[in-house]
Amino acid sequence: MHEVSEMEVFLTYLKVFAVGGALCALGQLLINKTEMSSARILVTFMLLGLVLEAAGVFGYMKDFAAAGVTVPITGFGSSLAKGAIKGAKEGGVLGAVAGGLKAAAPGISAVILFGFLFSLVFRSHSKKT
């Protein structure tokens, strides 16, 4: 079994932090320097993941930065594209739609489950200005 050195672990964390941080910094720049709404920025990042997956680049980024690129919403876009591409190969246009939905289902299910659990624990309230 290959033993992982402390330096390898440190470098892995450094790459994850650098790439994830760069994505977050890009998001913050879009918030500060443009008139884009938060929703449009999220969709932009999702489409970025989708385009990178379709172009075949996302896999290389994932190999390099792991969670730094998959945890942000770019990873969701990549999953959607991967499922749609696989579905299209198996079943044409309808397969692309079904494949994308099938690939995105675990993430959407987790969001629904955790949203429900948090709603049981915490109370929502209006933000006071």
Side-chain angles (χ1 to χ4, degrees), residues 23 26-27 30 36 38-55 58 69-82 100-101 104 108:
L23 285 172
L26 177 61
L30 290 173
M36 291 175 73
S38 301
R40 286 183 187 223
I41 293 170
L42 285 173
V43 169
T44 300
F45 275 101
M46 189 196 67
L47 290 174
L48 175 66
L50 193 140
V51 168
L52 290 172
E53 182 65 50
F58 196 85
V69 74
T70 59
V71 170
I73 197 152
T74 52
F76 181 73
S78 168
S79 306
L80 206 58
K82 200 180 301 182
L101 292 173
I108 293 170

Side-chain angles (χ1 to χ4, degrees), residues 24 53 79 109 128:
C24 291
E53 182 65 50
S79 306
S109 299
K128 295 178 182 165

Side-chain angles (χ1 to χ4, degrees), residues 62-118:
K62 185 178 173 185
D63 290 342
F64 177 78
V69 74
T70 59
V71 170
I73 197 152
T74 52
F76 181 73
S78 168
S79 306
L80 206 58
K82 200 180 301 182
I85 291 167
K86 182 180 176 188
K89 288 178 181 174
E90 295 172 358
V93 175
L94 290 177
V97 173
L101 292 173
K102 197 181 298 182
I108 293 170
S109 299
V111 167
I112 292 169
L113 174 67
F114 288 118
F116 175 71
L117 291 175
F118 281 112

